[in-house]
Amino acid sequence: MAHHEGIPGLEEVRFARDEDLGGLEVRLARYKDFAFANHWHDCYSIGAALSGGSLCIRNRENSVIQTGQLCLLNPGQVHSGIPARDVGITYLMFYVDPEEMRRVVTRVTGRDEGYPEFRNVISADPALFQAMMRLDRAVFGKGGLLTRESLSLAALAGLLVRAGHLRPASRCDDGEPGAVARAREYLAANLAGPVRLDDLARAAGLSAYHLLRVFKKAVGVTPHAWLTQLRVERARHLLLRGVSPAEAALSTGFYDQSHFTNTFRRFMGVTPRRYRLLR
């Protein structure tokens, strides 16, 4: 993985590593007067330009990444970076372990096809950019396990399908209603513990990538949003029975009291403590 601490002219603003996502590393950095010499990483490197721009030189190919665009680099690809004159660049970097990206391929195609490759250095697709922004917010905000896994798969699979060479597995629509129903039953039965996307997909009988797409189409929200609503509703009933907010949070899978309070208020308009007084 890449580490930039202590390099003059390069400021690292924040950094996170998520072991639940195969050791995904996300860092926010900015630089203006610093230029990267030729180097490479042993992982997939995805850069998202938040402001400014940079010249990326890869295999003697010059590419300019601008605000709102992504730079896509495969493991072992030698490259360098020169910031835009006077303005520099502020960017997010996502470092994805090759084995994790290989798992993404299996989740998309339904079979192990080895390690994928990005075809182009620059992606100007706004939907892909926003998917990476959502993943960043989930990782740094310490979102729930199903949330982080779902957003990671959506972002990385989207990149491989639209900027790589993958084709999603062909699907049979006849079994989708039953699969969605099985997924909903699994979520309802596993409120208290962390829900893994692969376990949910296995219960539904679909690939993880396919499940995310058909679930939202059928229900109107993603599986992790549905799970959050289920947890709030279960907690609401517990509060009405006199259960304390702390106990309700623990029983419904919220990882801490603050997360429970903020989520409950977002759905119900009041804090759990105030709602409990309504009974």
Side-chain angles (χ1 to χ4, degrees), residues 53-266:
S54 177
L55 172 65
C56 178
I57 304 174
R58 188 195 73 166
N59 299 337
R60 299 181 181 179
E61 174 187 354
N62 293 350
S63 301
V64 177
I65 180 173
Q66 300 176 342
T67 302
Q69 295 182 345
L70 301 174
C71 181
L72 310 174
L73 297 168
N74 299 306
Q77 287 188 324
V78 177
H79 60 283
S80 60
I82 304 173
R85 184 177 300 177
D86 299 327
V87 295
I89 184 172
T90 300
Y91 65 104
L92 281 166
M93 283 302 302
F94 301 81
Y95 298 108
V96 187
D97 185 90
E99 293 303 326
E100 179 65 16
M101 198 68 92
R102 187 172 183 172
R103 283 191 287 271
V104 171
V105 173
T106 303
R107 287 166 148 184
V108 173
T109 65
R111 56 190 178 277
D112 185 356
E113 296 186 352
Y115 302 104
E117 286 190 354
F118 294 125
R119 293 177 298 186
N120 301 314
V121 179
I122 303 298
S123 169
D125 188 323
L128 296 180
F129 186 88
Q130 288 304 318
M132 298 306 298
M133 295 303 99
R134 288 191 289 272
L135 176 57
D136 167 61
R137 289 192 292 270
V139 170
F140 276 99
K142 296 181 173 61
L145 177 59
L146 183 60
T147 298
R148 286 179 284 121
E149 286 192 321
S150 298
L151 292 177
S152 177
L153 177 59
L156 299 179
L159 285 173
L160 294 177
V161 170
R162 299 168 71 167
H165 54 78
L166 296 188
R167 292 185 179 180
S170 59
R171 57 200 211 189
C172 176
D173 293 341
D174 293 342
E176 288 179 3
V180 170
R182 290 191 293 273
R184 289 171 59 172
E185 290 172 0
Y186 184 88
L187 292 173
N190 291 274
L191 291 182
V195 176
R196 288 198 169 275
L197 180 57
D198 283 342
D199 292 338
L200 179 62
R202 194 174 299 112
L206 298 176
S207 72
Y209 183 71
H210 189 186
L211 174 63
L212 291 180
R213 297 170 69 87
V214 302
F215 191 98
K216 185 172 184 179
K217 179 181 177 181
V219 179
V221 295
T222 60
H224 56 271
W226 183 265
L227 178 61
T228 299
Q229 181 72 67
L230 280 177
R231 285 173 166 162
V232 169
E233 286 299 311
R234 182 71 61 83
R236 183 175 70 85
H237 287 291
L238 291 174
L239 293 170
L240 289 176
R241 285 163 39 194
V243 173
S244 71
E247 291 175 314
L250 183 63
S251 298
T252 52
F254 288 95
Y255 59 83
D256 62 32
Q257 190 64 43
S258 176
H259 180 224
F260 173 52
T261 298
N262 292 335
T263 304
F264 191 91
R265 181 167 49 194
R266 179 161 55 88

